[in-house]
Amino acid sequence: MTRLITTAALAAAFVGSVAVMPSAEAAAAQRPVTAAAKPCSTWWEVTGKTVAVRRPTWNEGPVAKPNSPVDHYLHRGDRVKSCVVAIARTERGPAYRKCGKDGNIWRVVQGGQVPETCLKRV
């Protein structure tokens, strides 16, 4: 009998706690309405003579290196769309020297990554 009362008390407590919890619809109604994320619309123009688009190998991690395999090349004046960067962190200074400048940031473009020092924003 004691077990039955304990079970009934737990069930009543559970039902009471469920009734207090807001539903998903109520939670959605309480959140402020925000604008949808804008699609990527950042264009970059190649300033270097010929720039390699490098794709990191499976064991290099998410960031390309100056000796990563080349996927294809971009030429001066080409325009690419990029909204994502990959930052190469090193303890000894810049990660690469390309297009006459030192840098740590790689722009992620279609096919791989390009040093940001070889691009200018359009």
Side-chain angles (χ1 to χ4, degrees), residues 8-111:
L10 286 174
F14 177 73
V15 169
S17 65
V18 170
V20 174
M21 293 174 28
S23 66
E25 295 167 349
Q30 292 174 355
R31 278 185 254 137
V33 178
T34 58
K38 294 181 182 178
C40 179
S41 61
T42 306
W43 286 92
W44 297 81
E45 186 173 331
V46 178
T47 58
K49 185 175 180 181
T50 301
V51 180
V53 177
R54 297 188 178 272
R55 185 180 297 257
T57 59
W58 66 271
N59 60 350
E60 283 183 338
V63 181
K65 295 180 180 171
N67 60 352
S68 295
V70 175
D71 186 70
H72 63 278
Y73 292 95
L74 298 174
H75 303 282
R76 182 178 289 139
D78 288 350
R79 290 185 177 201
V80 291
K81 191 183 286 191
S82 173
C83 292
V84 180
V85 297
I87 301 173
R89 303 266 188 221
T90 61
E91 296 176 2
R92 295 174 287 173
Y96 60 81
R97 179 162 182 82
K98 300 290 181 188
C99 301
K101 300 175 190 168
D102 294 334
N104 292 334
I105 300 175
W106 293 81
R107 299 296 310 185
V108 178
V109 299
Q110 185 175 1

